[in-house]
Amino acid sequence: MKNLETHLALSLPSPMQTISPKWKGLREISLSVKRDDLIHPIISGNKFRKLRSTLTEMPDDVSTIVSFGGGFSNHIHALAYCCMKLNKKLVAYIRGNYPTPTPMLEDISQWGAQIVFVTKAQYQRRHEPKYIYELNQKYPNAIVVPEGGSMQAALSGVADMVNETSTMPPDFFISPVASGATLAGIASALHKDQKAIGVGVLKGEGYLEDLVRAFLPIQADKNWHIDHRFHFGGYAKNNDELINFCLEFNEQTGIAIEPVYSGKLFFALRHMIENGEFATGSHIVAVHTGGLQGNRK
Ligand SMILES: *Cc1c(COP(=O)(O)O)cnc(C)c1O
């Protein structure tokens, strides 16, 4: 698919916005937000980045895409919309069962996706080569895309985002981390002297680093790290402090965030800035990876 961006009506490059929320210490540094949440009104930011090369390079005889996610998955949502626009069938393996469909599931049914509910035990097999092989047998002419769209081919699309900042290259990129390909893609595209910080949105010290490392060349300089202080007890866990922070951030900057990914990112960033964890004069780019659809009830 050539001209994917035109076909999907994407606004690229995404805007870069300087923000000044009422945080102590903000005057010592410069903070911008890479608004990947504005790439498209429906397609969640980093999920498009991660799918870009797979969708662009998809052979014409591929009729079907098979992928995996939870009932609120930003990845499945973005992919289902892209599939509808590109005239491909999506088979979505969804963990759990939703007798009352979530807004995400309602959207994707409307866009023609086939939903297959699987038990937690079945869902656990999603990375097994034998299981992928069985899916390929079951759906001929299909591509099986891993959960979150996190695959080697995802890195180049995320690198595009970094390259869009080349006129004003920051010292630090900071982004949420869940399945790791976004942080790996950022790290893969940095110049020397630039660093990437991941904010773990789930309890995964060691585990998240392994995920990121698996996407990167073994000999690569380690120009990234993951901060594990801000997962709030686990994936999609939150508390009143985080919820209030999201509302306040929205009031102060006009930028909407949600408590699963971007809320934890900006909460972490405020802490780091107020705690003096960045050298004076640092230029930081926070990547707003989108994901607001997942916050609907
Ligand atoms: C999936 C997602 C992430 C996490 O990206 P990974 O590549 O899985 O680490 C961050 N933000 C949003 C909004 C997401 O949907």
Side-chain angles (χ1 to χ4, degrees):
M1 170 64 59
K2 291 187 201 94
N3 294 322
L4 184 69
E5 281 83 352
T6 320
H7 211 82
L8 297 173
L10 298 166
S11 318
L12 287 169
S14 65
M16 184 87 113
Q17 181 180 347
T18 303
I19 58 164
S20 33
K22 295 176 187 137
W23 298 349
K24 286 194 269 334
L26 198 58
R27 243 183 273 151
E28 324 296 325
I29 55 144
S30 107
L31 176 58
S32 318
V33 181
K34 182 68 172 153
R35 299 291 307 272
D36 267 18
D37 57 316
L38 299 181
I39 288 177
H40 189 273
I42 291 173
I43 304 170
S44 190
N46 74 328
K47 296 308 185 280
F48 169 74
R49 299 286 192 184
K50 292 199 278 182
L51 290 167
R52 199 267 295 141
S53 82
T54 299
L55 297 179
T56 310
E57 284 150 33
M58 188 162 47
D60 286 338
D61 64 354
V62 170
S63 61
T64 307
I65 295 182
V66 179
S67 197
F68 316 90
F72 293 85
S73 169
N74 293 324
H75 160 67
I76 292 292
H77 193 256
L79 183 57
Y81 185 84
C82 293
C83 285
M84 173 187 64
K85 287 287 173 192
L86 303 176
N87 241 328
K88 306 287 174 186
K89 179 182 162 135
L90 174 67
V91 183
Y93 279 71
I94 303 294
R95 181 188 56 227
N97 199 339
Y98 292 86
T100 316
T102 63
M104 193 292 279
L105 293 170
E106 276 177 356
D107 282 349
I108 69 168
S109 317
Q110 220 165 35
W111 301 333
Q114 181 191 335
I115 297 171
V116 182
F117 290 116
V118 293
T119 61
K120 276 194 182 150
Q122 283 172 289
Y123 193 83
Q124 291 267 328
R125 297 190 61 203
R126 67 196 179 281
H127 303 299
E128 269 179 35
K130 180 159 183 286
Y131 184 61
I132 312 276
Y133 175 81
E134 287 163 17
L135 290 171
N136 276 312
Q137 298 294 304
K138 187 166 168 155
Y139 304 101
N141 305 319
I143 294 182
V144 180
V145 172
E147 179 183 57
S150 286
M151 51 201 154
Q152 203 61 47
L155 270 61
S156 66
V158 179
D160 294 344
M161 183 279 293
V162 172
N163 295 332
E164 289 173 12
T165 66
S166 62
T167 48
M168 275 243 303
D171 303 302
F172 297 93
F173 284 87
I174 183 164
S175 103
V177 185
S179 59
T182 302
L183 185 61
I186 295 171
S188 75
L190 298 181
H191 304 290
K192 69 172 178 56
D193 304 334
Q194 290 183 307
K195 294 264 181 297
I197 303 168
V199 174
V201 301
L202 49 93
K203 249 190 207 165
E205 200 159 350
Y207 162 77
L208 290 178
E209 280 82 359
D210 287 346
L211 291 180
V212 175
R213 215 174 283 119
F215 290 117
L216 293 169
I218 304 167
Q219 72 282 11
D221 285 340
K222 193 162 178 288
N223 53 5
W224 57 275
H225 75 271
I226 301 176
D227 195 312
H228 294 281
R229 292 175 290 173
F230 305 99
H231 54 64
F232 287 83
Y235 182 72
K237 299 261 169 51
N238 60 55
N239 61 21
D240 288 349
E241 192 187 9
L242 180 61
I243 302 291
N244 290 332
F245 171 80
C246 290
L247 297 171
E248 192 185 273
F249 182 83
N250 182 218
E251 274 165 25
Q252 294 181 4
T253 63
I255 299 175
I257 56 175
E258 46 66 51
V260 181
Y261 297 103
S262 50
K264 291 180 184 177
L265 170 73
F266 286 103
F267 188 96
L269 191 54
R270 179 184 63 174
H271 179 94
M272 292 172 192
I273 291 172
E274 294 196 337
N275 208 26
E277 295 176 24
F278 292 103
T280 301
S282 298
H283 176 202
I284 303 161
V285 166
V287 184
H288 194 324
T289 45
L292 289 151
Q293 78 77 28
N295 201 31
R296 298 172 301 169
K297 291 290 174 321

